[in-house]
Amino acid sequence: MPTSEFQLIQHYFKAGAAAALAQPNSPVRCGIGDDCAVLALPAGAELLVSVDTLVESIHFPQNYPSDMLARRALAVCVSDLAACGATPLGFTLALTLPNVDEPWLASFANALVVAAREYDIALVGGDTTRGPLCLSLQVMGSAPAGAAILRSGACAGDLVYVSGQLGDARAALDYLNKAAHELSAAEQALLDRYHAPTPRLALGQKLRGLATAAVDVSDGLAADLGHILSASGVAAVLHTENLPLSPALTETCAERAIEFALSGGDDYELCFTVPAKHREAVAALSAELNLALTEIAYIEAGEGLTCYRADGSVFTPAAGYQHF
């Protein structure tokens, strides 16, 4: 068993991280094992950086399987790169552990390597310490200078789109403690969305030069779209019948499906705005990526988000996820 922080890093994380160095055209010039990692930015590119902290019993359940935790934690952080249209470069991991549990660490490290390869992002450094289970991941990516998609570019007349389907991850929380053999097919589908969110990296990169603003849906669509509206100084009108809902969601919680889609969070889909003249370009992009891109709202002058039900009445979404 590793007896020090450095042995733990060497044993569980350095081998997997070193594989990234061997990849052709890797941006990693120096990874784990030095005081700093060294990453090479593509010519004419800017560095994009984001950090997320996940705490046991707040961001994930107690006794959550370590392989699921590794994949989910990295996906959640990489989703921020996707929202800005970034190409992943590398990430660091600060891991706080109550104790050194070798089977837990082996499963975690192996799953992290698999997820990192899937997203083409290398583990380039980090830290370990003892304490309540907590993970902080910092992700770094690049985009051509001036091309990063921010929250502040939406304009009156733009259309609002969202990728994929909304609400599944929130609905899954009701089934996290249900025995596997008791789950219906719909309930299992919801849990799959919670355990393995998909960062929309390809979509984000394709949206450079097309989208005027974007955000990933982490705290709930209403809250995250609200970030775009606030940053851009505009308002939006949304019709709830346009929200993309999965059959699994409508089957398991039809009465709360709209609430979960607007306020549930943890979907890690992209919400983005585009000028109305680009409606056909978005449809073509949806077909190219084989990914549903649904027009759900439009931007207008003013402030705030107004949601209407199909009968014309106003729907007031619940507040999204609160970090404090």
mmCIF file of all heavy atoms in Angstrom, residues 130-172:
data_model
loop_
_atom_site.group_PDB
_atom_site.id
_atom_site.type_symbol
_atom_site.label_atom_id
_atom_site.label_comp_id
_atom_site.label_asym_id
_atom_site.label_seq_id
_atom_site.Cartn_x
_atom_site.Cartn_y
_atom_site.Cartn_z
ATOM 1 N N ARG A 130 -5.743 14.331 3.394
ATOM 2 C CA ARG A 130 -6.702 13.551 4.181
ATOM 3 C C ARG A 130 -7.809 14.453 4.707
ATOM 4 O O ARG A 130 -7.571 15.590 5.138
ATOM 5 C CB ARG A 130 -5.991 12.872 5.357
ATOM 6 C CG ARG A 130 -6.902 11.919 6.152
ATOM 7 C CD ARG A 130 -6.153 11.300 7.318
ATOM 8 N NE ARG A 130 -5.040 10.474 6.868
ATOM 9 C CZ ARG A 130 -5.148 9.187 6.515
ATOM 10 N NH1 ARG A 130 -6.328 8.597 6.561
ATOM 11 N NH2 ARG A 130 -4.084 8.512 6.130
ATOM 12 N N GLY A 131 -9.048 13.953 4.645
ATOM 13 C CA GLY A 131 -10.195 14.688 5.143
ATOM 14 C C GLY A 131 -11.469 14.110 4.559
ATOM 15 O O GLY A 131 -11.444 13.060 3.901
ATOM 16 N N PRO A 132 -12.615 14.768 4.777
ATOM 17 C CA PRO A 132 -13.877 14.300 4.182
ATOM 18 C C PRO A 132 -13.766 14.242 2.662
ATOM 19 O O PRO A 132 -13.121 15.092 2.050
ATOM 20 C CB PRO A 132 -14.887 15.361 4.629
ATOM 21 C CG PRO A 132 -14.288 15.980 5.846
ATOM 22 C CD PRO A 132 -12.806 15.961 5.623
ATOM 23 N N LEU A 133 -14.399 13.241 2.067
ATOM 24 C CA LEU A 133 -14.258 13.008 0.632
ATOM 25 C C LEU A 133 -14.701 14.226 -0.178
ATOM 26 O O LEU A 133 -15.840 14.692 -0.073
ATOM 27 C CB LEU A 133 -15.075 11.783 0.214
ATOM 28 C CG LEU A 133 -14.987 11.371 -1.262
ATOM 29 C CD1 LEU A 133 -13.550 11.089 -1.664
ATOM 30 C CD2 LEU A 133 -15.870 10.151 -1.527
ATOM 31 N N CYS A 134 -13.782 14.737 -0.999
ATOM 32 C CA CYS A 134 -14.024 15.953 -1.782
ATOM 33 C C CYS A 134 -13.086 15.941 -2.983
ATOM 34 O O CYS A 134 -11.932 15.526 -2.876
ATOM 35 C CB CYS A 134 -13.786 17.187 -0.916
ATOM 36 S SG CYS A 134 -13.908 18.757 -1.780
ATOM 37 N N LEU A 135 -13.582 16.396 -4.123
ATOM 38 C CA LEU A 135 -12.779 16.474 -5.337
ATOM 39 C C LEU A 135 -12.866 17.888 -5.895
ATOM 40 O O LEU A 135 -13.964 18.446 -5.992
ATOM 41 C CB LEU A 135 -13.273 15.513 -6.416
ATOM 42 C CG LEU A 135 -13.354 14.022 -6.145
ATOM 43 C CD1 LEU A 135 -14.635 13.670 -5.404
ATOM 44 C CD2 LEU A 135 -13.328 13.257 -7.464
ATOM 45 N N SER A 136 -11.737 18.458 -6.261
ATOM 46 C CA SER A 136 -11.708 19.710 -7.010
ATOM 47 C C SER A 136 -10.941 19.462 -8.304
ATOM 48 O O SER A 136 -9.787 19.033 -8.259
ATOM 49 C CB SER A 136 -11.041 20.829 -6.216
ATOM 50 O OG SER A 136 -11.868 21.277 -5.164
ATOM 51 N N LEU A 137 -11.600 19.712 -9.409
ATOM 52 C CA LEU A 137 -10.980 19.529 -10.717
ATOM 53 C C LEU A 137 -10.920 20.858 -11.441
ATOM 54 O O LEU A 137 -11.916 21.585 -11.505
ATOM 55 C CB LEU A 137 -11.760 18.518 -11.573
ATOM 56 C CG LEU A 137 -11.748 17.067 -11.110
ATOM 57 C CD1 LEU A 137 -12.929 16.788 -10.196
ATOM 58 C CD2 LEU A 137 -11.797 16.115 -12.306
ATOM 59 N N GLN A 138 -9.757 21.169 -11.959
ATOM 60 C CA GLN A 138 -9.586 22.340 -12.809
ATOM 61 C C GLN A 138 -9.308 21.856 -14.224
ATOM 62 O O GLN A 138 -8.391 21.065 -14.450
ATOM 63 C CB GLN A 138 -8.425 23.198 -12.332
ATOM 64 C CG GLN A 138 -8.187 24.426 -13.206
ATOM 65 C CD GLN A 138 -7.121 25.345 -12.638
ATOM 66 O OE1 GLN A 138 -7.419 26.298 -11.956
ATOM 67 N NE2 GLN A 138 -5.866 25.023 -12.928
ATOM 68 N N VAL A 139 -10.122 22.319 -15.156
ATOM 69 C CA VAL A 139 -9.959 21.918 -16.555
ATOM 70 C C VAL A 139 -9.452 23.097 -17.366
ATOM 71 O O VAL A 139 -9.789 24.258 -17.099
ATOM 72 C CB VAL A 139 -11.280 21.394 -17.158
ATOM 73 C CG1 VAL A 139 -11.659 20.060 -16.552
ATOM 74 C CG2 VAL A 139 -12.402 22.407 -16.989
ATOM 75 N N MET A 140 -8.622 22.796 -18.343
ATOM 76 C CA MET A 140 -8.047 23.816 -19.215
ATOM 77 C C MET A 140 -8.277 23.432 -20.668
ATOM 78 O O MET A 140 -8.148 22.251 -21.031
ATOM 79 C CB MET A 140 -6.550 23.954 -18.936
ATOM 80 C CG MET A 140 -6.238 24.527 -17.565
ATOM 81 S SD MET A 140 -4.597 24.072 -16.940
ATOM 82 C CE MET A 140 -4.897 22.392 -16.369
ATOM 83 N N GLY A 141 -8.644 24.412 -21.454
ATOM 84 C CA GLY A 141 -8.862 24.179 -22.876
ATOM 85 C C GLY A 141 -8.400 25.379 -23.676
ATOM 86 O O GLY A 141 -7.918 26.369 -23.129
ATOM 87 N N SER A 142 -8.566 25.292 -24.981
ATOM 88 C CA SER A 142 -8.160 26.402 -25.846
ATOM 89 C C SER A 142 -9.238 26.662 -26.881
ATOM 90 O O SER A 142 -10.045 25.785 -27.214
ATOM 91 C CB SER A 142 -6.836 26.087 -26.548
ATOM 92 O OG SER A 142 -6.994 25.022 -27.477
ATOM 93 N N ALA A 143 -9.237 27.874 -27.374
ATOM 94 C CA ALA A 143 -10.101 28.264 -28.487
ATOM 95 C C ALA A 143 -9.359 29.336 -29.276
ATOM 96 O O ALA A 143 -8.529 30.065 -28.719
ATOM 97 C CB ALA A 143 -11.437 28.802 -27.979
ATOM 98 N N PRO A 144 -9.622 29.447 -30.562
ATOM 99 C CA PRO A 144 -8.991 30.524 -31.337
ATOM 100 C C PRO A 144 -9.247 31.870 -30.679
ATOM 101 O O PRO A 144 -10.329 32.103 -30.113
ATOM 102 C CB PRO A 144 -9.674 30.415 -32.702
ATOM 103 C CG PRO A 144 -10.113 28.986 -32.800
ATOM 104 C CD PRO A 144 -10.496 28.599 -31.401
ATOM 105 N N ALA A 145 -8.265 32.742 -30.715
ATOM 106 C CA ALA A 145 -8.373 34.044 -30.057
ATOM 107 C C ALA A 145 -9.658 34.757 -30.470
ATOM 108 O O ALA A 145 -9.952 34.897 -31.662
ATOM 109 C CB ALA A 145 -7.160 34.900 -30.400
ATOM 110 N N GLY A 146 -10.442 35.155 -29.470
ATOM 111 C CA GLY A 146 -11.686 35.876 -29.715
ATOM 112 C C GLY A 146 -12.870 35.010 -30.056
ATOM 113 O O GLY A 146 -13.979 35.529 -30.241
ATOM 114 N N ALA A 147 -12.690 33.672 -30.114
ATOM 115 C CA ALA A 147 -13.769 32.793 -30.570
ATOM 116 C C ALA A 147 -14.521 32.106 -29.443
ATOM 117 O O ALA A 147 -15.553 31.457 -29.693
ATOM 118 C CB ALA A 147 -13.209 31.724 -31.521
ATOM 119 N N ALA A 148 -14.038 32.200 -28.212
ATOM 120 C CA ALA A 148 -14.725 31.548 -27.097
ATOM 121 C C ALA A 148 -16.152 32.071 -26.977
ATOM 122 O O ALA A 148 -16.405 33.269 -27.113
ATOM 123 C CB ALA A 148 -13.967 31.784 -25.791
ATOM 124 N N ILE A 149 -17.084 31.160 -26.717
ATOM 125 C CA ILE A 149 -18.490 31.531 -26.576
ATOM 126 C C ILE A 149 -18.749 31.880 -25.114
ATOM 127 O O ILE A 149 -18.546 31.037 -24.229
ATOM 128 C CB ILE A 149 -19.422 30.386 -27.009
ATOM 129 C CG1 ILE A 149 -19.036 29.866 -28.390
ATOM 130 C CG2 ILE A 149 -20.875 30.851 -27.014
ATOM 131 C CD1 ILE A 149 -19.718 28.564 -28.765
ATOM 132 N N LEU A 150 -19.185 33.091 -24.862
ATOM 133 C CA LEU A 150 -19.432 33.555 -23.505
ATOM 134 C C LEU A 150 -20.936 33.675 -23.253
ATOM 135 O O LEU A 150 -21.751 33.447 -24.155
ATOM 136 C CB LEU A 150 -18.729 34.887 -23.276
ATOM 137 C CG LEU A 150 -17.221 34.887 -23.578
ATOM 138 C CD1 LEU A 150 -16.631 36.274 -23.359
ATOM 139 C CD2 LEU A 150 -16.499 33.843 -22.733
ATOM 140 N N ARG A 151 -21.299 34.054 -22.044
ATOM 141 C CA ARG A 151 -22.708 34.213 -21.691
ATOM 142 C C ARG A 151 -23.256 35.583 -22.093
ATOM 143 O O ARG A 151 -24.465 35.802 -22.026
ATOM 144 C CB ARG A 151 -22.898 34.034 -20.183
ATOM 145 C CG ARG A 151 -22.495 32.671 -19.652
ATOM 146 C CD ARG A 151 -22.608 32.639 -18.137
ATOM 147 N NE ARG A 151 -22.263 31.324 -17.591
ATOM 148 C CZ ARG A 151 -22.303 31.023 -16.296
ATOM 149 N NH1 ARG A 151 -22.652 31.957 -15.416
ATOM 150 N NH2 ARG A 151 -21.987 29.812 -15.882
ATOM 151 N N SER A 152 -22.399 36.475 -22.509
ATOM 152 C CA SER A 152 -22.757 37.890 -22.598
ATOM 153 C C SER A 152 -23.104 38.384 -23.995
ATOM 154 O O SER A 152 -23.241 39.591 -24.196
ATOM 155 C CB SER A 152 -21.597 38.726 -22.048
ATOM 156 O OG SER A 152 -20.372 38.394 -22.689
ATOM 157 N N GLY A 153 -23.283 37.498 -24.975
ATOM 158 C CA GLY A 153 -23.473 37.969 -26.348
ATOM 159 C C GLY A 153 -24.881 37.884 -26.902
ATOM 160 O O GLY A 153 -25.117 38.249 -28.060
ATOM 161 N N ALA A 154 -25.863 37.417 -26.113
ATOM 162 C CA ALA A 154 -27.219 37.265 -26.633
ATOM 163 C C ALA A 154 -27.837 38.623 -26.955
ATOM 164 O O ALA A 154 -27.646 39.600 -26.228
ATOM 165 C CB ALA A 154 -28.084 36.518 -25.631
ATOM 166 N N CYS A 155 -28.606 38.674 -28.043
ATOM 167 C CA CYS A 155 -29.225 39.924 -28.497
ATOM 168 C C CYS A 155 -30.717 39.714 -28.747
ATOM 169 O O CYS A 155 -31.156 38.599 -29.060
ATOM 170 C CB CYS A 155 -28.576 40.409 -29.800
ATOM 171 S SG CYS A 155 -26.805 40.733 -29.683
ATOM 172 N N ALA A 156 -31.486 40.784 -28.616
ATOM 173 C CA ALA A 156 -32.912 40.719 -28.935
ATOM 174 C C ALA A 156 -33.089 40.189 -30.355
ATOM 175 O O ALA A 156 -32.387 40.605 -31.282
ATOM 176 C CB ALA A 156 -33.539 42.103 -28.785
ATOM 177 N N GLY A 157 -34.015 39.255 -30.503
ATOM 178 C CA GLY A 157 -34.242 38.609 -31.795
ATOM 179 C C GLY A 157 -33.578 37.258 -31.928
ATOM 180 O O GLY A 157 -33.923 36.472 -32.827
ATOM 181 N N ASP A 158 -32.619 36.961 -31.055
ATOM 182 C CA ASP A 158 -31.983 35.632 -31.073
ATOM 183 C C ASP A 158 -32.978 34.554 -30.668
ATOM 184 O O ASP A 158 -33.941 34.793 -29.920
ATOM 185 C CB ASP A 158 -30.800 35.587 -30.106
ATOM 186 C CG ASP A 158 -29.559 36.289 -30.623
ATOM 187 O OD1 ASP A 158 -29.585 36.753 -31.778
ATOM 188 O OD2 ASP A 158 -28.573 36.377 -29.858
ATOM 189 N N LEU A 159 -32.707 33.347 -31.113
ATOM 190 C CA LEU A 159 -33.457 32.163 -30.699
ATOM 191 C C LEU A 159 -32.663 31.416 -29.637
ATOM 192 O O LEU A 159 -31.430 31.445 -29.642
ATOM 193 C CB LEU A 159 -33.698 31.241 -31.894
ATOM 194 C CG LEU A 159 -34.355 31.875 -33.125
ATOM 195 C CD1 LEU A 159 -34.446 30.856 -34.256
ATOM 196 C CD2 LEU A 159 -35.730 32.429 -32.781
ATOM 197 N N VAL A 160 -33.371 30.751 -28.734
ATOM 198 C CA VAL A 160 -32.737 29.986 -27.666
ATOM 199 C C VAL A 160 -32.943 28.500 -27.941
ATOM 200 O O VAL A 160 -34.082 28.048 -28.158
ATOM 201 C CB VAL A 160 -33.323 30.335 -26.287
ATOM 202 C CG1 VAL A 160 -32.612 29.541 -25.190
ATOM 203 C CG2 VAL A 160 -33.225 31.834 -26.019
ATOM 204 N N TYR A 161 -31.834 27.760 -27.929
ATOM 205 C CA TYR A 161 -31.869 26.321 -28.159
ATOM 206 C C TYR A 161 -31.301 25.585 -26.952
ATOM 207 O O TYR A 161 -30.516 26.141 -26.176
ATOM 208 C CB TYR A 161 -31.022 25.951 -29.383
ATOM 209 C CG TYR A 161 -31.643 26.273 -30.716
ATOM 210 C CD1 TYR A 161 -31.544 27.559 -31.255
ATOM 211 C CD2 TYR A 161 -32.321 25.300 -31.444
ATOM 212 C CE1 TYR A 161 -32.101 27.862 -32.487
ATOM 213 C CE2 TYR A 161 -32.881 25.599 -32.681
ATOM 214 C CZ TYR A 161 -32.769 26.876 -33.195
ATOM 215 O OH TYR A 161 -33.322 27.173 -34.412
ATOM 216 N N VAL A 162 -31.649 24.310 -26.850
ATOM 217 C CA VAL A 162 -31.027 23.436 -25.863
ATOM 218 C C VAL A 162 -30.753 22.096 -26.528
ATOM 219 O O VAL A 162 -31.507 21.648 -27.404
ATOM 220 C CB VAL A 162 -31.919 23.266 -24.615
ATOM 221 C CG1 VAL A 162 -33.168 22.432 -24.922
ATOM 222 C CG2 VAL A 162 -31.140 22.658 -23.461
ATOM 223 N N SER A 163 -29.648 21.486 -26.171
ATOM 224 C CA SER A 163 -29.309 20.172 -26.725
ATOM 225 C C SER A 163 -29.955 19.064 -25.903
ATOM 226 O O SER A 163 -30.293 19.242 -24.730
ATOM 227 C CB SER A 163 -27.793 19.978 -26.751
ATOM 228 O OG SER A 163 -27.260 19.965 -25.431
ATOM 229 N N GLY A 164 -30.120 17.906 -26.523
ATOM 230 C CA GLY A 164 -30.564 16.716 -25.805
ATOM 231 C C GLY A 164 -31.927 16.867 -25.166
ATOM 232 O O GLY A 164 -32.838 17.481 -25.727
ATOM 233 N N GLN A 165 -32.049 16.296 -23.965
ATOM 234 C CA GLN A 165 -33.307 16.317 -23.219
ATOM 235 C C GLN A 165 -33.029 16.777 -21.794
ATOM 236 O O GLN A 165 -31.924 16.614 -21.283
ATOM 237 C CB GLN A 165 -33.949 14.921 -23.235
ATOM 238 C CG GLN A 165 -34.346 14.492 -24.650
ATOM 239 C CD GLN A 165 -34.668 13.006 -24.751
ATOM 240 O OE1 GLN A 165 -34.037 12.170 -24.108
ATOM 241 N NE2 GLN A 165 -35.644 12.676 -25.580
ATOM 242 N N LEU A 166 -34.041 17.329 -21.169
ATOM 243 C CA LEU A 166 -33.881 17.950 -19.860
ATOM 244 C C LEU A 166 -34.702 17.246 -18.786
ATOM 245 O O LEU A 166 -35.764 16.690 -19.069
ATOM 246 C CB LEU A 166 -34.318 19.420 -19.924
ATOM 247 C CG LEU A 166 -33.578 20.316 -20.916
ATOM 248 C CD1 LEU A 166 -34.243 21.688 -20.983
ATOM 249 C CD2 LEU A 166 -32.114 20.445 -20.531
ATOM 250 N N GLY A 167 -34.210 17.294 -17.559
ATOM 251 C CA GLY A 167 -34.980 16.828 -16.413
ATOM 252 C C GLY A 167 -34.680 15.427 -15.940
ATOM 253 O O GLY A 167 -35.049 15.051 -14.817
ATOM 254 N N ASP A 168 -33.999 14.620 -16.757
ATOM 255 C CA ASP A 168 -33.779 13.220 -16.404
ATOM 256 C C ASP A 168 -32.934 13.067 -15.143
ATOM 257 O O ASP A 168 -33.232 12.229 -14.287
ATOM 258 C CB ASP A 168 -33.095 12.480 -17.560
ATOM 259 C CG ASP A 168 -34.009 12.241 -18.734
ATOM 260 O OD1 ASP A 168 -35.190 12.634 -18.656
ATOM 261 O OD2 ASP A 168 -33.552 11.676 -19.740
ATOM 262 N N ALA A 169 -31.873 13.849 -15.040
ATOM 263 C CA ALA A 169 -30.965 13.689 -13.903
ATOM 264 C C ALA A 169 -31.661 14.028 -12.592
ATOM 265 O O ALA A 169 -31.441 13.364 -11.569
ATOM 266 C CB ALA A 169 -29.728 14.561 -14.092
ATOM 267 N N ARG A 170 -32.486 15.073 -12.595
ATOM 268 C CA ARG A 170 -33.227 15.403 -11.379
ATOM 269 C C ARG A 170 -34.194 14.289 -11.021
ATOM 270 O O ARG A 170 -34.309 13.899 -9.839
ATOM 271 C CB ARG A 170 -33.977 16.725 -11.570
ATOM 272 C CG ARG A 170 -35.034 17.012 -10.500
ATOM 273 C CD ARG A 170 -34.468 17.011 -9.089
ATOM 274 N NE ARG A 170 -35.501 17.116 -8.077
ATOM 275 C CZ ARG A 170 -36.146 16.080 -7.535
ATOM 276 N NH1 ARG A 170 -35.861 14.843 -7.934
ATOM 277 N NH2 ARG A 170 -37.064 16.271 -6.625
ATOM 278 N N ALA A 171 -34.886 13.747 -11.992
ATOM 279 C CA ALA A 171 -35.824 12.666 -11.716
ATOM 280 C C ALA A 171 -35.107 11.442 -11.159
ATOM 281 O O ALA A 171 -35.652 10.709 -10.325
ATOM 282 C CB ALA A 171 -36.589 12.297 -12.984
ATOM 283 N N ALA A 172 -33.870 11.236 -11.592
ATOM 284 C CA ALA A 172 -33.101 10.065 -11.154
ATOM 285 C C ALA A 172 -32.823 10.083 -9.659
ATOM 286 O O ALA A 172 -32.629 9.015 -9.049
ATOM 287 C CB ALA A 172 -31.784 9.986 -11.923
#
